[in-house]
Amino acid sequence: AFTLEANFTNQTFTGQTTLEPNPGAPLLTVNGTMTDNTLSGSATYNNGTETLGSDGFQGFIDPNVAVGVFHGEDGVDAMAGGFLVQSD
């Protein structure tokens, strides 16, 4: 599961997913900030051992929708993905 949290008071956007069968080890962690409607930040994977770069997470957010992408590689492995969240 991938859980994302937007904290409008602190202007942060964070998320984490987990490896299976070990639910305590994060596969992907996103640490972002919100400036106006722009999301930006960094992302790590493999329990924080691999960094997707300081600009590895980018997106857009407003009260009705959030969309973001993450990407990176280390010469051996690559990871990329994204999300789209809309209000009801």
Side-chain angles (χ1 to χ4, degrees):
F2 188 31
T3 304
L4 294 167
E5 179 180 340
N7 184 319
F8 289 92
T9 301
N10 294 329
Q11 297 293 291
T12 59
F13 193 84
T14 57
Q16 186 171 318
T17 187
T18 54
L19 291 167
E20 296 297 333
N22 182 0
L27 174 62
L28 175 68
T29 302
V30 171
N31 290 303
T33 58
M34 294 182 270
T35 304
D36 298 319
N37 291 66
T38 302
L39 297 173
S40 61
S42 64
T44 60
Y45 67 102
N46 285 345
N47 200 18
T49 61
E50 303 290 339
T51 300
L52 297 181
S54 60
D55 64 346
F57 170 67
Q58 300 175 1
F60 171 83
I61 191 166
D62 73 15
N64 298 310
V65 66
V67 61
V69 296
F70 50 88
H71 58 88
E73 57 86 23
D74 65 2
V76 176
D77 298 312
M79 179 176 278
F83 61 88
L84 171 64
V85 181
Q86 295 178 308
S87 63
D88 291 337

